[in-house]
Amino acid sequence: MKKILVTGGLGFIGSHICVSLIEKNYSICIIDSLINSSEDNLLSIKKICNLSNNFLEDRITFFKGDIKNKRFLKHIFKKAIDDKKPIEAVIHLAGLKSVNESTEEPLTYWETNVVGTLNLLEAMQIYNCKNIVFSSSATIYRPTINELLTENSDLGPISPYGTTKLTIEKMLEDLAKSKKNDLNIINLRYFNPVGAHISGLLGENPKGKPNNLFPILLKVASGEYKKLSIFGADWPTHDGTCIRDYIHVMDLAEAHISALNFILNSSSVFINLNIGTGIGKSVLEVVETFMKVNKCEFEYSFVSRRQGDSPYLVADNRLALSTLNWKPQKSLNDMCIDAWKWKITSKNKFK
Ligand SMILES: NC(=O)c1ccc[n+]([C@@H]2O[C@H](COP(=O)([O-])OP(=O)(O)OC[C@H]3O[C@@H](n4cnc5c(N)ncnc54)[C@H](O)[C@@H]3O)[C@@H](O)[C@H]2O)c1
């Protein structure tokens, strides 16, 4: 049974990937500082996996710690080797992800995302771990209007967050080019992951004030927030609101499993892949779909544009489909229904 290290594995995307990994018979080691998540997610992962199958608890180990701490990272890799279960691959999600916050705290973003990744790569090198799937982002592209983004589209992040992701990709590319290291690297450039696990036990639950559309929408729909503020009604799109490529988090998790299978059966691979559905939806279309499928209504209004946003981010995902033998299965309706189920379940749980 192969052991996979998942950094940031208790976060929104990481926790869903952990479920898929366990279901696919991997053993996982999770690192998370819990700066934007909680150990409740560990319990939920175990619960989901035990519900569908009788997996043993030792299939998951969790280490609370920070990727900024080199000694901590080295300890994890060394311990795995000492235990005779070396880490075969890393899925690297740990990092800070708010576009808006990164414009206010750029150095914090550089330190966590870039220095943290440098530490991780150093530990991987020392302990001879050669496979990594990195959580990159569509924010590394230069914004376009009505043009699908391919992996060769112009790069040009417009936020410090996007710049840190692009910097990490460059770092990984340099490593890939140095023949000495012989690494397998896949950068998955996520578009807009949303939705939740179908059980309602896992979903997006950021600490502090949420910045992304879905967590805010859930708070408005559940009455925690009075109304939804839509940032900009004057973008150059058909209804004036931003267009994004929303992808269900479980489809995204499956893309990681495929990427992992790919690199574990390859040598000296370096690939960038867009992970989206290829279908753009405006903020207004999402709001209307959410209300319709979940039979709820709430107020929204338009406010001025937000720094760091771009009007149109939609993937040309053909390279991912052909390389990974993977295809997103879930619709925007599924994303809205599953996210709402998670909200209702977690609201009852935390009452
Ligand atoms: N959610 C999105 O829309 C999106 C889009 C593109 C890329 N990504 C990237 O995917 C990854 C996961 O995103 P997410 O939405 O699950 O975010 P998240 O905040 O829910 O998960 C990130 C996890 O990393 C942990 N973490 C943060 N800094 C850490 C550190 N220094 N050391 C150890 N753990 C740390 C957090 O506690 C959290 O559990 C991030 O790298 C993000 O940049 C996310």
Side-chain angles (χ1 to χ4, degrees):
M1 190 177 292
K2 291 196 161 79
K3 185 178 214 167
I4 312 299
L5 172 65
V6 187
T7 73
L10 293 189
F12 167 46
I13 300 168
S15 56
H16 291 80
I17 292 174
C18 287
V19 169
S20 291
L21 283 169
I22 292 173
E23 286 175 350
K24 298 284 173 347
N25 237 3
Y26 287 101
S27 133
I28 56 175
C29 169
I30 299 173
I31 291 179
D32 204 299
S33 66
L34 303 182
I35 192 171
N36 199 33
S37 55
S38 90
E39 265 191 87
D40 282 345
N41 285 350
L42 184 62
L43 297 178
S44 297
I45 294 167
K46 287 181 180 173
K47 196 164 174 195
I48 290 169
C49 294
N50 282 330
L51 281 178
S52 50
N53 279 295
N54 287 325
F55 289 117
L56 299 171
E57 286 239 328
D58 69 2
R59 296 275 305 283
I60 311 182
T61 37
F62 168 57
F63 296 90
K64 182 173 179 227
D66 200 307
I67 55 166
K68 297 197 291 295
N69 182 342
K70 275 190 198 187
R71 279 185 52 199
F72 165 69
L73 286 175
K74 287 179 191 161
H75 165 75
I76 306 291
F77 282 93
K78 183 168 183 308
K79 186 174 178 330
I81 289 172
D82 291 346
D83 292 346
K84 306 223 167 351
K85 287 181 191 160
I87 292 166
E88 308 250 357
V90 178
I91 298 182
H92 177 37
L93 301 113
L96 300 175
K97 65 161 181 179
S98 160
V99 165
N100 206 35
E101 187 185 55
S102 77
T103 62
E104 288 155 16
E105 304 279 346
L107 291 184
T108 310
Y109 273 68
W110 275 83
E111 190 185 15
T112 303
N113 294 359
V114 178
V115 177
T117 304
L118 194 63
N119 293 340
L120 174 69
L121 294 172
E122 197 180 298
M124 286 175 67
Q125 199 166 50
I126 293 169
Y127 292 101
N128 206 27
C129 178
K130 293 189 176 293
N131 302 298
I132 181 165
V133 178
F134 169 60
S135 301
S136 190
S137 160
T139 56
I140 66 169
Y141 292 113
R142 188 185 305 287
T144 58
I145 297 168
N146 293 337
E147 216 179 275
L148 292 185
L149 293 160
T150 74
E151 288 77 2
N152 293 322
S153 292
D154 287 347
L155 301 172
I158 56 169
S159 70
Y161 166 72
T163 314
T164 63
K165 290 288 180 190
L166 183 55
T167 306
I168 295 166
E169 282 202 8
K170 295 279 175 214
M171 194 152 74
L172 289 165
E173 191 175 0
D174 283 346
L175 260 182
K177 280 181 190 155
S178 99
K179 292 276 174 284
K180 182 179 141 212
N181 291 297
D182 191 25
L183 292 182
N184 294 311
I185 300 168
I186 297 194
N187 294 315
L188 296 183
R189 297 174 174 168
Y190 309 163
F191 278 65
N192 279 66
V194 298
H197 191 266
I198 196 160
S199 63
L201 294 172
L202 274 179
E204 188 169 12
N205 190 19
K207 285 185 177 167
K209 221 172 133 210
N211 286 293
N212 291 347
L213 176 62
F214 264 72
I216 299 174
L217 209 124
L218 295 178
K219 282 188 185 285
V220 179
S222 65
E224 279 170 67
Y225 287 179
K226 264 185 126 173
K227 67 176 178 185
L228 177 73
S229 298
I230 298 177
F231 298 105
D234 57 350
W235 294 97
T237 61
H238 66 276
D239 62 17
T241 65
C242 288
I243 293 182
R244 293 288 178 270
D245 182 339
Y246 295 94
I247 176 161
H248 195 290
V249 65
M250 288 313 297
D251 279 333
L252 179 60
E254 288 305 312
H256 286 78
I257 303 296
S258 301
L260 200 59
N261 287 339
F262 187 88
I263 54 174
L264 289 173
N265 293 300
S266 314
S267 71
S268 298
V269 162
F270 177 82
I271 317 179
N272 301 315
L273 295 175
N274 285 343
I275 303 295
T277 59
I279 301 164
K281 295 283 180 190
S282 74
V283 174
L284 267 182
E285 284 167 339
V286 172
V287 169
E288 278 158 16
T289 305
F290 188 95
M291 287 188 191
K292 192 171 145 217
V293 298
N294 292 317
K295 298 182 181 54
C296 64
E297 282 205 0
F298 49 82
E299 257 189 83
Y300 58 85
S301 66
F302 298 100
V303 297
S304 49
R305 293 178 180 186
R306 205 167 49 163
Q307 200 188 344
D309 272 346
S310 48
Y312 185 87
L313 280 178
V314 182
D316 178 330
N317 62 4
R318 284 174 299 173
L319 187 61
L321 301 193
S322 60
T323 309
L324 299 180
N325 197 17
W326 158 89
K327 200 170 170 206
Q329 305 291 335
K330 295 182 185 260
S331 65
L332 182 61
N333 284 8
D334 297 323
M335 302 176 211
C336 293
I337 291 167
D338 291 345
W340 187 229
K341 182 173 180 189
W342 148 248
K343 182 67 189 173
I344 294 167
T345 314
S346 56
K347 219 176 155 192
N348 291 337
K349 193 167 100 185
F350 297 123
K351 246 183 196 168

